[in-house]
Amino acid sequence: MTAVEETPAGTAEPVGHGRMLRKEDPRLVRGRGRFVDDVQLQGMLHLAILRAPMAHARIVSIDTAAAEAHPKVKAVVTGEALAEKGLAWMPTLSNDVQAVLATDKVRFQGQEVAFVVAEDHYSARDALELIDVEYDMLDPVVDARRALEPGSPVVRDDLDGKDDNHVFDWETGDRAATDAVFERADVVVSEDLVYPRVHPAPMETCGAVADFDSVEGRLTLWSTTQAPHAHRTLYAMVAGLPEHKIRVVAPDIGGGFGNKVPIYPGYVCAIVASLVVGRPVKWMEDRSENLVSTGFARDYIMRGEIAATRDGRILGIRTNVLADHGAFNAQAAPSKYPAGFFGVFTGSYDIEAAHAEVTAVYTNKAPGGVAYACSFRITEAVYLVERIVDCLAHELEMDPVALRSKNLIRPEQFPYTTRTGWVYDSGDYEPTLREALRISGYDELRKEQEERRARGELMGIGVSFFTEAVGAGPRKNMDILGLGMADGCELRVHPTGKAVVRLSVQTQGQGHETTFAQIVAEEIGIPPQDIDVLHGDTDNTPFGLGTYGSRSTPVSGAAAALVARKVRDKARIIASGMLEANVTDLEWTKGAFAVKGDPDRSVTIQEIALRAHGAGDLPDGIEGGLEAQVCYNPENLTYPHGAYVCVVDVDPDTAQVSVRRFVAVDDCGTRINPMIIEGQVHGGLADGVGMALMEMIPFDEEGNCLGGSFMDYLLPTALEVPDWETGHTVTPSPHHPIGAKGVGESATVGSPPAVVNAVVDALKPFGVRHADMPLTPSRVWDAMRGRATPS
Ligand code: MCN
Ligand code: CUM
C-alpha cells in the first residue's frame, strides 16, 4: 500500500471510488465516539441480570425480599412477574421461543433468571447477591452427539408434547445421484471434522438504554444492534407497542461480527424495566456475560466425504452434520434456510453430484448459532470442502493446488448453478489462484519445505479457495420472520450542493459512513466529504433489514447507487432547462452535465441543486427539490471468491504453531474503497488464525462454560499474526448496479481451512491427515503422536 494513494478525510479528492481515509475515524480516534454506554439520561437507573449458575435445573422458588430491601433498589423482577404480563418468553429469529427470564427451569449456565433495577450499576450488581433462588438440579445434555439418545434429558419440555431434543432435519442436493458417483469413483475419502463452538467477542459487549415516555406512549431504545429496523418491528410484535411509537437508535457500535444480530433478553428486560419504573434504564453486560450467554457461532460436527477419479477429478461431495443449537433455536438465518447457506458446501468446484443432511439438536448450552462473520454458515461449508479436498490430495499424493486447479469452475460456466441449486453470479477463479501463488512464491515455498523437512523442521503450506454467497437476499426466497430482505435508501441534496444519504444498514466498524458516501459520490459527483451518511436511527432512516451476511454493499450499496442515479436523472432534466438543451443532448461527466459537442455549456451538480431549490421556472412537470428514495430488492446474491496461502512453522519440541506468512487474494467485484477492503480482510484473517489455533468455547460434563473470560477464550493479538500480504482480482457482479460484491466476512470464512491445511501439511512426516481446531499445542502434540484429542 502506498501512502500517495491515500486521501486524508477532509480534502476534496477523490470523487467516488478509491482509497480514502475513514470519515468516522477523526471522531473515533479522538475518543468522541458515542456508544450505548455513553448514553446518560436524566434520572437513569441501572439494570443487572441474575444468571443461572448451572446448566440445567428446575426453579423451586425465588426469594427477592432481601434484594428489594436494598436501599438503592427500585425493582426486582422475576420470570413469574414477566409471565403475568405475557412477557416471559419472546420469539427468536428462527421461529422458536426463548425465555426472557426463566420461569420453569434454567436451560444453560448463564441463563437470565431475574433482574434488579437500582440507582447505580454497583448497587444493582450487589443486590443480585441478595436474591435467593432454590434450584432442583437436573442432568444436563452437553454433548450434541448424545442429545438424541433415548433417555436423554429433554431440554425443551416447555414446548407442547416435546419429548426429545430434536430441532430440525434438513437436506439438500441429490442423494441418489451422489451415492451413484460414490459407487463408481476410484477413490473415496471420508473425514470427521468438528468446527468448534466459538464466539464473535466484539470489543463492546451488548447493552441498551430504554426510555419509555408514558405521556406520549413512546419508547426510545438505544441499543447495540446490527439491525435497528428489524429489531423495532420485533419489539412492536413482542411488547404490543405500536411500531410508530418505538424508536430504535444504534449509535456507534464497537464491533458486532454477528453478535448483535439477535434480540437478547437483556434488551427486553431494559424495556420492561423502563415501562415498570417509569424512568430510563440502562443495561450493559460485562465480558463474561457476553461470552457465556450471547450468540455463539459454529458448533457443527461434520462428516465429510469426497469421491474422485484416480487422476484427481472430483465427482461428488456428501456430508452429514450434527448441529448443536443450544437451549433455544435462536440462530439468525433467512427463514427457508435452517442451516443457513451451508448449501454452498460444494465450494468452487465443478462436480457431478452433492448431498448434505443436517440434523440440529437442543443442548444445555447458550443459544445462538451462525454469528461470527459467517455469511450464514458458509464458514462451516468452506471449512468442510477445503479440508476434505486437502484430505483427498493427501490420499492421491497430489499437490493441493494442482487438485484444486483441475476442478475449479471455469469462467465460461458462469452464471454457474451448483448441484445444490445456488446460482454463482460471476467468477474467474484461475487468475485469483495464480495471483495467490505468485505473491506467495508457492513453488519456492515447496522447495524450501523439502529442504527443511530434510533437516527435521516442520514447515507447512496451506491453501484454500472459497466462494461465498452474500447479500441476502431476493425477496422471492429470503425473509427473516416474514420480513423481506430488501433495503431502503434516501438521498437529499441540499440547495448548496451538499447531501445526506440515509441508510437502513448499520455500521459496526465497516466504515459505511465513508464507503456509502463514496458510492453516492461516484454516481452524482458530489465529493464524499460533502455527503453525510445517516444510519442507525429508525426515526430518521428508511426501513431495511440491517447489516450481517456481508449484505450492506450487495443490497444497501445497490440502493445507494440507484437512489443517486434517480437524483441524477432528475438533475439531468433540470440541467436541460438551465442549458436550454434537450435532455438527450446532455452528457454526464462526473459532477456536471454538458451539452454534447459544446463542453463549455455545462452546469455542475451544485448549480443544479441550487436551481432545484431556488426561484425561477423548472422544466414542465418537475417539482422542486433534489431528493429521492428507493427500496432495493436484490435479484440474486453476490458471490465473492478468494485464494489464500498460509505458511506455518511447527516447533517439533513444543508443538507450538506460528503463522509465518499469510497471503490473501480476494475478489469482491468492483472495489469501492480498497483501503477499507484491506482492513476488512486483515480483521477476517485474524479471526481465521484465532479460530484455527486458539478460540473455543468448551464445556465440562456438567455444562459449565469454560470459555467465560479472555483468560480462557483466547483471541489472537499482534503477536500471533503475521504481516498480512493481500492482493486482488476484480470480477464484477453482473446484476449489482455497480458490480460490487460483499467482502466483510470473506477472510473469516476463507482463512481457517488455509491455516489448518498448513498445520496438517507441516505434520505430514507424521502421517497426519487431519486434526481438529483449535490447533493448540496440546492438540498438535497429540496429532504428532497419533492420538486423537476428543473434541
Ligand atoms: N466494500 C468495498 N467494496 C466492495 C465491498 C465492500 O469498499 N466491493 C466496503 C463496504 O463499503 C463496507 C465494507 O467494505 O464499508 C464491508 O462491506 P460488506 O462486505 O458489504 O459488509 P457489511 O458492511 O455488510 O458488513 C458486515 C460484515 C459482517 S456480516 C461481519 S460479521 C463483520 C464484517 O462485516 N463484522 C465486522 N466486518 C466487520 N468489521 C468491523 N470492523 N466490525 C465488525 O463487527
Ligand atoms: Cu454471521 S456474522 Mo455477520 O453476518 O453479522
Side-chain angles (χ1 to χ4, degrees):
M1 181 198 331
T2 54
V4 185
E5 286 177 85
E6 287 165 25
T7 312
T11 62
E13 291 291 321
V15 169
H17 305 169
R19 284 179 186 275
M20 177 183 148
L21 291 180
R22 300 200 318 168
K23 292 175 66 162
E24 37 273 89
D25 284 344
R27 163 174 104 244
L28 296 174
V29 300
R30 285 174 174 84
R32 300 292 285 272
R34 190 164 188 254
F35 298 85
V36 170
D37 203 22
D38 294 322
V39 175
Q40 298 294 346
L41 302 177
Q42 190 74 32
M44 188 175 77
L45 300 172
H46 296 263
L47 184 150
I49 293 175
L50 181 71
R51 294 176 181 280
M54 73 291 282
H56 202 189
R58 198 158 291 289
I59 297 176
V60 179
S61 64
I62 305 182
D63 182 352
T64 57
E68 276 159 18
H70 187 291
K72 296 210 165 154
V73 166
K74 297 288 173 197
V76 182
V77 173
T78 62
E80 209 173 307
L82 285 188
E84 284 164 19
K85 296 179 194 297
L87 291 172
W89 294 85
M90 61 177 191
T92 68
L93 296 176
S94 293
N95 278 305
D96 192 358
V97 289
Q98 175 173 356
V100 177
L101 293 177
T103 47
D104 50 345
K105 335 189 269 192
V106 293
R107 293 178 168 84
F108 68 92
Q109 187 187 49
Q111 188 182 338
E112 299 77 3
V113 174
F115 69 79
V116 168
V117 184
E119 276 167 31
D120 61 80
H121 181 70
Y122 299 101
S123 301
R125 288 267 163 159
D126 285 351
L128 294 182
E129 313 261 320
L130 302 172
I131 300 175
D132 192 13
V133 187
E134 194 189 330
Y135 292 104
D136 198 357
M137 295 290 278
L138 297 168
D139 283 336
V141 193
V142 183
D143 186 345
R145 283 168 278 222
R146 310 195 58 178
L148 295 178
E149 283 176 4
S152 168
V154 177
V155 180
R156 295 301 301 282
D157 49 353
D158 59 292
L159 299 172
D160 236 5
K162 188 87 185 138
D163 58 5
D164 62 18
N165 294 312
H166 184 257
V167 184
F168 66 76
D169 287 316
W170 173 83
E171 67 175 314
T172 186
D174 186 332
R175 187 196 297 269
T178 309
D179 290 350
V181 300
F182 272 78
E183 281 294 310
R184 68 175 157 84
D186 302 335
V187 188
V188 169
V189 175
S190 308
E191 192 62 74
D192 288 316
L193 315 164
V194 176
Y195 208 133
R197 178 176 277 238
V198 292
H199 198 280
M203 214 184 321
E204 177 203 31
T205 58
C206 298
V209 176
D211 183 14
F212 183 69
D213 175 343
S214 59
V215 176
E216 301 284 340
R218 256 187 91 80
L219 170 72
T220 306
L221 185 76
W222 287 263
S223 78
T224 49
T225 169
Q226 297 180 217
H229 288 277
H231 278 198
R232 181 188 55 180
T233 304
L234 290 183
Y235 291 130
M237 289 169 169
V238 179
L241 287 167
E243 197 166 355
H244 66 299
K245 297 282 192 189
I246 303 175
R247 176 182 181 193
V248 175
V249 183
D252 283 323
I253 301 291
F257 306 101
N259 191 235
K260 292 164 181 170
V261 176
I263 289 182
Y264 293 117
Y267 301 157
V268 178
C269 291
I271 294 172
V272 171
S274 183
L275 284 165
V276 169
V277 186
R279 283 165 65 175
V281 175
K282 179 186 282 183
W283 166 69
M284 273 315 292
E285 66 190 5
D286 66 18
R287 179 58 58 190
S288 280
E289 293 183 283
N290 182 257
L291 284 170
V292 168
S293 74
T294 64
F296 73 90
R298 326 288 188 246
D299 223 341
Y300 259 33
I301 299 169
M302 307 184 272
R303 156 139 248 173
E305 291 184 289
I306 190 164
T309 60
R310 174 65 48 205
D311 63 352
R313 179 91 204 122
I314 302 172
L315 301 174
I317 301 176
R318 64 185 176 199
T319 176
N320 205 299
V321 179
L322 181 61
D324 186 339
H325 278 232
F328 305 100
N329 183 20
Q331 74 161 2
S335 307
K336 290 181 191 139
Y337 299 83
F341 297 170
F342 188 76
V344 302
F345 69 95
T346 56
S348 315
Y349 309 109
D350 181 27
I351 63 176
E352 289 178 26
H355 182 255
E357 52 191 342
V358 178
T359 295
V361 295
Y362 289 120
T363 60
N364 289 110
K365 297 185 204 162
V370 175
Y372 193 178
C374 55
S375 304
F376 296 129
R377 301 280 188 201
I378 294 180
T379 338
E380 290 90 328
V382 165
Y383 182 69
L384 173 88
V385 57
E386 289 307 290
R387 199 70 270 294
I388 197 80
V389 164
D390 253 44
C391 293
L392 176 65
H394 183 106
E395 281 318 296
L396 295 173
E397 293 179 8
M398 214 172 145
D399 180 274
V401 168
L403 177 59
R404 284 178 173 80
S405 208
K406 193 178 181 108
N407 291 283
L408 287 178
I409 299 164
R410 295 182 309 279
E412 67 275 13
Q413 292 178 288
F414 289 92
Y416 178 86
T417 306
T418 70
R419 296 295 165 184
T420 49
W422 299 74
V423 183
Y424 292 3
D425 59 346
S426 66
D428 191 359
Y429 292 169
E430 195 63 44
T432 311
L433 180 58
R434 269 204 311 275
E435 180 66 355
L437 301 180
R438 183 192 68 78
I439 298 174
S440 60
Y442 185 76
D443 295 337
E444 293 304 309
L445 285 171
R446 284 289 174 205
K447 280 187 206 124
E448 180 192 337
Q449 181 183 44
E450 214 170 290
E451 288 158 23
R452 285 186 189 262
R453 270 191 186 148
R455 297 200 294 268
E457 294 174 28
L458 303 176
M459 168 183 169
I461 306 162
V463 175
S464 71
F465 197 103
F466 67 92
T467 302
E468 266 199 292
V470 299
R475 305 172 77 112
K476 59 179 186 279
N477 54 6
M478 288 184 199
D479 70 275
I480 288 194
L481 287 183
L483 297 173
M485 303 191 77
D487 277 86
C489 189
E490 192 210 276
L491 176 62
R492 297 184 191 170
V493 182
H494 304 319
T496 56
K498 316 288 179 190
V500 174
V501 60
R502 292 160 199 266
L503 315 178
S504 55
V505 291
Q506 171 62 39
T507 183
Q508 313 117 46
Q510 297 89 342
H512 293 176
E513 289 168 35
T514 308
T515 47
F516 279 74
Q518 291 183 276
I519 292 172
V520 173
E522 178 83 12
E523 300 298 329
I524 58 167
I526 295 174
Q529 291 75 16
D530 288 348
I531 302 171
D532 252 10
V533 176
L534 286 191
H535 57 92
D537 180 348
T538 54
D539 267 10
N540 287 308
T541 54
F543 187 86
L545 278 216
T547 292
Y548 41 83
S550 303
R551 65 188 297 283
S552 303
T553 305
V555 189
S556 185
L562 292 180
V563 80
R565 286 178 194 174
K566 205 165 165 181
V567 165
R568 193 176 72 200
D569 288 344
K570 180 170 179 182
R572 176 189 289 270
I573 301 173
I574 297 171
S576 77
M578 292 168 79
L579 294 168
E580 294 177 357
N582 207 308
V583 279
T584 51
D585 290 337
L586 296 184
E587 221 168 24
W588 172 253
T589 51
K590 238 175 237 177
F593 281 107
V595 178
K596 277 182 199 157
D598 191 359
D600 289 344
R601 275 172 68 204
S602 73
V603 282
T604 64
I605 185 77
Q606 289 81 3
E607 290 164 341
I608 299 169
L610 191 58
R611 172 59 75 95
H613 293 89
D617 281 344
L618 292 172
D620 279 352
I622 290 293
E623 292 170 358
L626 198 53
E627 307 179 350
Q629 178 153 6
V630 300
C631 180
Y632 181 78
N633 172 33
E635 187 181 310
N636 185 6
L637 301 166
T638 66
Y639 293 81
H641 69 270
Y644 291 177
V645 179
C646 175
V647 183
V648 301
D649 297 295
V650 177
D651 185 323
D653 299 320
T654 65
Q656 175 78 41
V657 176
S658 73
V659 181
R660 193 204 307 172
R661 287 181 66 194
F662 202 107
V663 173
V665 177
D666 275 275
D667 190 322
C668 58
T670 304
R671 292 151 60 84
I672 299 152
N673 185 330
M675 185 164 49
I676 283 183
I677 293 171
E678 282 160 15
Q680 290 291 299
V681 171
H682 289 181
L685 296 177
D687 286 342
V689 168
M691 286 185 286
L693 301 183
M694 52 215 284
E695 293 178 38
M696 172 153 82
I697 301 275
F699 291 82
D700 70 11
E701 282 166 16
E702 263 110 57
N704 294 305
C705 177
L706 306 180
S709 84
F710 281 161
M711 296 295 284
D712 305 300
Y713 190 73
L714 300 181
L715 292 178
T717 68
L719 295 177
E720 285 85 18
V721 302
D723 274 343
W724 311 113
E725 300 168 66
T726 55
H728 68 275
T729 53
V730 176
T731 315
S733 165
H735 60 85
H736 188 280
I738 61 171
K741 303 179 178 184
V743 76
E745 298 165 302
S746 290
T748 313
V749 166
S751 58
V755 180
V756 175
N757 287 347
V759 174
V760 170
D761 183 52
L763 302 183
K764 202 168 183 182
F766 297 89
V768 175
R769 197 180 78 180
H770 176 70
D772 277 327
M773 297 186 284
L775 291 167
T776 56
S778 78
R779 286 194 176 194
V780 174
W781 187 260
D782 281 348
M784 281 157 70
R785 271 147 197 80
R787 294 194 293 252
T789 315
S791 42

